[in-house]
Amino acid sequence: MPLTHSWDTIIPNQQVPEGIHSLNAKSCGICHTEIYNEWKESTHAHAWTDVQYQAELKKNKDLFVCKNCHLPIQNQQRKITTGLYDGDYYQPVERDNPHFDASLQLEGITCVACDMNNNTIIGSNDNIKPAHIVNTDADYLSEKLCIRCHDAHDQLSDDLVCTFETGQEWREGPFSKEGKNCISCHMPTIERPSAAGSISRKGHRHYFPASGIPKSKNHHPKRLESLTYQIIDPIFSEQTITLGIRLKNKFAGHKVPTGDPERHYFIRLDLLKNQQVIKSDTFRIGEEWQWYPTAKKLSDNNLLPGESRNFVQSYPVKDFDNLSWKVTITKHRMTPEIKAFHHLPDDYPLSIPVYDTLISLK
């Protein structure tokens, strides 16, 4: 059976174009130094080497379709997959790839994964004359390119679901109607020389900011804030106090969280007396899944674009002296149980703090 989806097909092997030394990002960085340094800090640069991804890939028997978004160009893969036996993803029709480049594989979602096709570098600006040939194609470099991977969803087997629906969330949300796409937020506009010795012009940052959760203790990705946080005015009664915080998905054109179904937020509310916690409550934003024996979504309370949600608690209080209220919000990649299941190293980052405030109640 043929391959028909964007996530089970791949950019064919590319030749090194005239004017550059290799397809590697380091080669691009000789001239595009600032862009190269931004990409190195991005999550894209860690797409293949991420230990969580490698654990998932091993668990799923080196499934080729999982590689296609983490290694989007054929030169990065040892095998060329041309079809499926009986439509089974675990039975690919494949042959050895004579153009496999092990060094390019380590770069994950590298420069040429987005900026190359048909053996030619793809650009979005007509007003440049670089040392190598460039085909201008702004449509190719639009959100359509992002959605090839960030809108991949399929039932691969009974207990394996590919469920990355950010593109669909964006299409159904208000940003797509307003003309805002992936690039609007995740590749901020900047005016600068795109390469050494070139003129200054409008271009885009290549940090690809997103969740901000690092892939290792030495990784420092940029974070894109999606939410706003507003403390709700406390309500005092004779022996009760009601406290709350309002979260709004103001800046994202998709759900929050989005992407990996294991991502979630924790909102922790602590009532303190004399700086000691006397009552604690925790709320969760995210999806809940059953993965075995059959993969299925159990619940989903992700915040839609523009949606606000209040997290409120009432506390019985006899003595109002020396009371304070603490709000701590953290963003998580996965649970400690899933980390243990994948045998990930102790120092693999699971979460980051995104909001923290302490309010004295008088």
Side-chain angles (χ1 to χ4, degrees), residues 113 330 356:
T330 48
D356 191 349

Side-chain angles (χ1 to χ4, degrees), residues 41-275:
E41 289 298 320
S42 73
T43 302
H44 279 176
H46 295 256
W48 177 253
T49 56
D50 173 31
V51 293
Q52 179 200 356
Y53 168 72
Q54 286 294 327
E56 295 273 10
L57 189 63
K58 182 179 180 180
K59 179 187 72 175
N60 294 317
K61 302 176 183 177
D62 208 34
L63 192 61
F64 82 95
V65 73
C66 299
K67 299 177 187 176
N68 286 353
C69 287
H70 291 252
L71 301 173
I73 191 165
Q74 189 72 67
N75 305 62
Q76 298 177 296
Q77 298 197 21
R78 294 181 182 275
K79 299 287 186 178
I80 296 175
T81 304
T82 58
L84 304 173
Y85 289 107
D86 297 326
D88 185 350
Y89 280 106
Y90 288 101
Q91 297 189 67
V93 181
E94 57 187 17
R95 64 179 187 274
D96 290 337
N97 183 4
H99 301 288
F100 169 64
D101 184 335
S103 64
L104 195 64
Q105 182 185 73
L106 291 174
E107 294 181 353
I109 303 170
T110 185
C111 306
V112 293
C114 298
D115 285 288
M116 191 171 183
N117 202 2
N118 296 323
N119 303 312
T120 305
I121 302 297
I122 307 295
S124 59
N125 196 314
D126 287 313
N127 301 319
I128 55 172
K129 302 296 180 184
H132 53 73
I133 297 173
V134 173
N135 282 347
T136 303
D137 191 342
D139 185 63
Y140 179 83
L141 293 176
S142 69
E143 75 280 353
K144 297 175 184 177
L145 186 60
C146 311
I147 289 173
R148 282 179 61 89
C149 289
H150 292 278
D151 197 23
H153 38 91
D154 202 355
Q155 183 83 36
L156 304 178
S157 67
D158 286 346
D159 60 352
L160 180 59
V161 173
C162 184
T163 174
F164 297 89
E165 300 177 340
T166 306
Q168 180 177 324
E169 295 165 7
W170 167 78
R171 282 192 296 269
E172 294 173 351
F175 279 31
S176 62
K177 284 77 174 176
E178 297 169 6
K180 297 178 185 177
N181 62 11
C182 315
I183 296 165
S184 304
C185 299
H186 296 278
M187 296 187 72
T189 301
I190 181 175
E191 188 162 324
R192 64 178 175 186
S194 63
S198 68
I199 62 171
S200 183
R201 62 179 182 84
K202 283 187 177 181
H204 296 280
R205 291 284 194 188
H206 285 65
Y207 292 116
F208 305 103
S211 74
I213 304 175
K215 293 291 187 180
S216 71
K217 62 181 180 180
N218 298 318
H219 181 212
H220 307 287
K222 300 291 184 182
R223 186 169 76 88
L224 196 61
E225 183 57 85
S226 306
L227 305 178
T228 58
Y229 311 92
Q230 180 185 354
I231 298 296
I232 300 170
D233 289 340
I235 300 174
F236 294 88
S237 64
E238 188 171 336
Q239 289 190 330
T240 304
I241 182 170
T242 301
L243 304 164
I245 184 169
R246 177 177 297 116
L247 273 61
K248 182 176 182 179
N249 180 7
K250 183 175 181 179
F251 302 114
H254 48 70
K255 291 182 179 180
V256 172
T258 190
D260 193 318
E262 292 165 350
R263 293 176 184 170
H264 58 279
Y265 283 81
F266 275 136
I267 300 96
R268 175 170 171 160
L269 310 179
D270 291 323
L271 184 67
L272 297 87
K273 187 173 182 63
N274 297 319
Q275 301 181 3

